[in-house]
Amino acid sequence: MKAIAVLSGGLDCCVAASVYARDYDIHAITFNYGQKAFNQELKASRAICEKMGFTHSVIDLPWLAEISDSTLNTSEDIPEVEINDLDNLEKSLKTADSVWVPARNTVFTAIAASYAESIGAEIIIVGWDKEEAATFPDNSKEFLESFNELFKVGSPIDIEIKAPAIDLDKDEIVKLGAEVNAPMELSYSCYKGFEKHCGVCESCMRRKRGFKKAGLEDLTHYEK
């Protein structure tokens, strides 16, 4: 059986792909949309794919970089947060708005569907999760279910998006990763794109807290 995995190199998608690694021949795709962290995301994605035996492709989306005013791919500073800000919905929504890339997951998933049809893959694996769905609607269960309904209408083959973390918070994702032997130590979550995780952007802070709450060793190297 074949699968397409949308792999940014991050913690969530690393764990998600690892859940299906035993049962599927996985072709991972990584997107370059001009994000500051692309080089580190690519390094992480390649390392994960080499470790797990996945086929890997990179897809350049220069047009998405051109139309996006997200702090992820402009010269604007990426917000830094405190640990207590993570559960403050008002502050988290402001951060989410700052890093939002127009229709990113919609675009990525549509392209993944093209790849799935081309190789006869049965599933598309994504790292969407409950914790981030609170501020990113394209991580939500409703978004997942809607896209799967779309595939039933719009694809000539049976394709289903699989999001094993859709009901999980970050600490639960870390625990799941440990259960499936996901190479989480190879993943990269930082928005800023430093060689080491910055440790202060929201993505880094959620990663830090996830490992701490899970009670598992965090092998990530942080600047702060």
Side-chain angles (χ1 to χ4, degrees):
M1 296 186 293
K2 297 179 181 180
I4 297 294
V6 178
L7 187 70
S8 70
L11 175 66
D12 305 331
C13 56
C14 172
V15 171
S18 297
V19 168
Y20 295 97
R22 289 186 178 182
D23 298 324
Y24 287 85
D25 178 12
I26 295 178
H27 184 157
I29 52 178
T30 300
F31 293 96
N32 176 11
Y33 53 98
Q35 67 271 40
K36 293 181 173 82
F38 173 68
N39 288 336
Q40 295 302 324
E41 290 179 3
L42 178 59
K43 180 180 177 181
S45 296
R46 284 175 171 167
I48 292 166
C49 289
E50 182 176 354
K51 176 78 172 182
M52 302 300 289
F54 301 159
T55 303
H56 185 231
S57 296
V58 177
I59 300 174
D60 294 321
L61 301 175
W63 60 269
L64 186 53
E66 290 172 4
I67 67 171
S68 174
D69 62 358
S70 169
T71 56
L72 294 187
N73 50 3
T74 66
S75 60
E76 297 296 318
D77 291 336
I78 290 170
E80 298 181 359
V81 301
E82 301 290 339
I83 191 72
N84 293 333
D85 293 338
L86 298 180
D87 293 321
N88 183 317
L89 184 58
E90 183 178 354
K91 290 184 178 180
S92 291
L93 284 171
K94 288 182 179 179
T95 301
D97 182 62
S98 171
V99 300
W100 179 262
V101 177
R104 180 175 58 179
N105 280 351
T106 302
V107 171
F108 290 178
T109 309
I111 293 173
S114 293
Y115 268 72
E117 288 188 5
S118 73
I119 68 171
E122 297 178 4
I123 64 171
I124 296 169
I125 307 164
V126 297
W128 308 340
D129 66 272
K130 177 183 175 182
E131 184 167 323
E132 294 189 11
T135 50
F136 293 97
D138 59 357
N139 270 250
S140 67
K141 181 177 283 189
E142 182 179 11
F143 185 75
L144 170 67
E145 292 172 347
S146 296
F147 231 120
N148 275 329
E149 286 299 315
L150 179 65
F151 285 158
K152 290 179 182 178
V153 176
S155 178
I157 68 172
D158 291 331
I159 304 173
E160 183 179 4
I161 306 171
K162 294 287 190 179
I166 199 69
D167 292 316
L168 305 182
D169 288 329
K170 201 69 70 173
D171 59 309
E172 295 171 311
I173 294 171
V174 171
K175 290 177 183 177
L176 176 60
E179 291 174 8
V180 299
N181 295 316
M184 295 184 287
E185 72 283 357
L186 299 178
S187 65
Y188 184 87
S189 301
C190 184
Y191 285 153
K192 295 192 176 185
F194 300 151
E195 185 172 350
K196 293 182 180 180
H197 286 67
C198 73
V200 290
C201 71
E202 183 168 342
S203 187
C204 280
M205 294 297 282
R206 290 192 184 279
R207 181 184 178 108
K208 276 185 181 179
R209 187 176 71 169
F211 276 98
K212 185 175 181 180
K213 288 178 68 176
L216 294 173
E217 183 181 7
D218 186 359
L219 299 176
T220 311
H221 297 293
Y222 298 100
E223 292 282 354
K224 296 180 182 179

